[in-house]
Amino acid sequence: MPLGLRQLRAFVAVVDAGGFTSASDEIGLTQSAVSHAVAALEREIGAVLISRGREGIRLTGPGERILVHARAALRQVELIEEEAAAVRGLRRGRLRIGGFPSACQLLPPLIAELRRIHPGIEVALWEGTDQEVGRWLAEGLIDLGMRASLAPPPAASDLVLVADRMMAVVDNRHPLAAEPDVALADLQDDPLLVSDGGCEPLLDELHAAAGLPLRVAQRVREMATLLAMVRAGLGVTVVPELSLSSRQGITALPLRPSSRRRVLLDIPAGTPPPAAVQAFQEILRRGERAGRMQKAESEPDTHHYGRTHPEPDHTPEDSLNLTTR
């Protein structure tokens, strides 16, 4: 029996769901039907793809290699269906967006706007580190990947989701808390705490530009944990300003010289963007134009930074209009 989409879907669903029972709920088949589909795929290929044991399922060596191609094949079928719908004047399909948590929080208003205009497009968010997002994008698991950069966007066609300042964060009792701004060198005597959810590559770049070694005292994944440690006086950190959901007990200080982070949206190289990605790009660009018009119609605000001024410094020309109408 030749390979079929039903077999590939069952195989991928079992891997993603972590078991046959959960996979059957995901794709609307009985557990027996899922088991038969995977077994038929294994017979056709001539190798065991999934090892079953008391501790659950585990991909075999051949299974890991086949999984990459199975995902790619199923995604190509989805793209054909999306393009066929686009030819008929419809926008439908699935859009997978990957990013680090502090950037993913910016997406819900944009997703709501996408659903309002194109209700046939489903959106899934994947949260991970910069390294995970890069791998997902390279493997074709996501359609758009968020990437943080300190450099200006390399091309006018790049989509900038938001831009904000990099800020040094100290507890309110720290000697530097009363300063208007700080240089990285001012932080060298304090333990440096770092979030591995996307900040460390930026700190590498900042320290290299300043000619300073990056000495990390401790890495944590969650931003809330990082800020709680700073608040307790266990060290200092440097983070993008939009990561500061709360400034209670801490002071955020602009870096000297000033440095801005930009969050860019990347698509897989070498392939034209599918219809769902194009629809999302249209919404982003529409928001960008609205932001520029908003700036032209109003005077720019002046912000002063410190423990009593929590507003982030991201201006209309740097960020997209995230208001859902």
Side-chain angles (χ1 to χ4, degrees):
M1 181 175 62
L3 297 180
L5 294 176
R6 181 187 178 100
Q7 299 168 0
L8 296 178
R9 287 195 177 102
F11 171 54
V12 171
V14 170
V15 175
D16 289 345
F20 286 82
T21 301
S22 299
S24 66
D25 295 334
E26 288 290 330
I27 59 177
L29 297 175
T30 65
Q31 181 178 345
S32 175
V34 172
S35 297
H36 279 94
V38 173
L41 180 63
E42 291 177 324
R43 286 195 303 272
E44 186 65 26
I45 291 174
V48 174
L49 305 179
I50 296 177
S51 174
R52 293 88 159 164
R54 293 181 179 178
E55 298 180 355
I57 66 163
R58 182 178 59 84
L59 279 172
T60 64
E64 291 179 353
R65 296 190 293 274
I66 294 296
L67 178 64
V68 175
H69 301 298
R71 289 192 192 279
L74 292 176
R75 184 55 181 151
Q76 289 302 314
V77 171
E78 287 182 353
L79 292 176
I80 291 172
E81 293 171 346
E82 292 172 17
E83 290 299 332
V87 169
R88 299 193 301 272
L90 304 174
R91 285 288 178 87
R92 59 183 293 271
R94 298 187 64 189
L95 178 64
R96 305 170 182 86
I97 308 175
F100 42 94
S102 65
C104 283
Q105 66 180 323
L106 302 170
L107 292 176
L110 295 168
I111 294 172
E113 181 73 353
L114 179 70
R115 287 182 174 174
R116 184 185 70 81
I117 299 174
H118 304 292
I121 296 179
E122 300 176 7
V123 180
L125 286 182
W126 296 36
E127 287 190 343
T129 64
D130 278 354
Q131 293 78 11
E132 288 172 329
V133 172
R135 176 171 55 82
W136 296 337
L137 197 64
E139 294 178 359
L141 301 182
I142 57 177
D143 305 298
L144 287 169
M146 287 183 273
R147 169 174 57 87
S149 172
L150 295 178
S157 59
D158 283 331
L159 291 173
V160 181
L161 181 62
V162 76
D164 60 349
R165 293 201 293 185
M166 296 295 293
M167 306 290 283
V169 184
V170 301
D171 73 274
N172 285 346
R173 303 174 301 276
H174 195 283
L176 292 173
E179 297 294 324
D181 52 32
V182 297
L184 281 179
D186 299 331
L187 307 175
Q188 287 293 289
D189 294 335
D190 291 277
L192 181 62
L193 312 175
V194 173
S195 166
D196 64 3
C199 289
E200 190 164 356
L202 302 179
L203 292 185
D204 271 329
E205 190 174 341
L206 284 172
H207 280 75
L212 297 171
L214 177 62
R215 294 192 291 263
V216 178
Q218 187 165 345
R219 293 175 176 84
V220 297
R221 187 177 183 93
E222 296 296 329
M223 185 61 64
T225 303
L226 180 72
L227 298 181
M229 295 175 69
V230 173
R231 190 175 297 116
L234 299 178
V236 301
T237 191
V238 177
V239 298
E241 190 165 15
L242 286 174
S243 301
L244 300 173
S245 57
S246 170
R247 300 196 186 191
Q248 182 179 1
I250 59 175
T251 299
L253 303 161
L255 290 180
R256 186 180 67 250
S258 178
S259 178
R260 299 181 76 80
R261 172 197 71 160
R262 289 169 174 81
V263 178
L264 307 178
L265 282 169
D266 288 339
I267 62 175
T271 58
V277 171
Q278 293 177 26
F280 195 68
Q281 288 174 320
E282 290 171 6
I283 288 174
L284 292 176
R285 293 194 172 101
R286 186 183 303 122
E288 189 175 37
R289 289 192 295 270
R292 288 171 180 163
M293 291 176 60
Q294 177 184 341
K295 186 196 178 194
E297 294 170 357
S298 63
E299 290 293 326
D301 293 331
T302 300
H303 298 294
H304 300 280
Y305 292 88
R307 68 192 74 182
T308 59
H309 295 275
E311 294 86 2
D313 176 32
H314 55 284
T315 55
E317 74 270 25
D318 292 320
S319 60
L320 298 171
N321 185 347
L322 303 182
T323 303
T324 301
R325 295 177 177 84

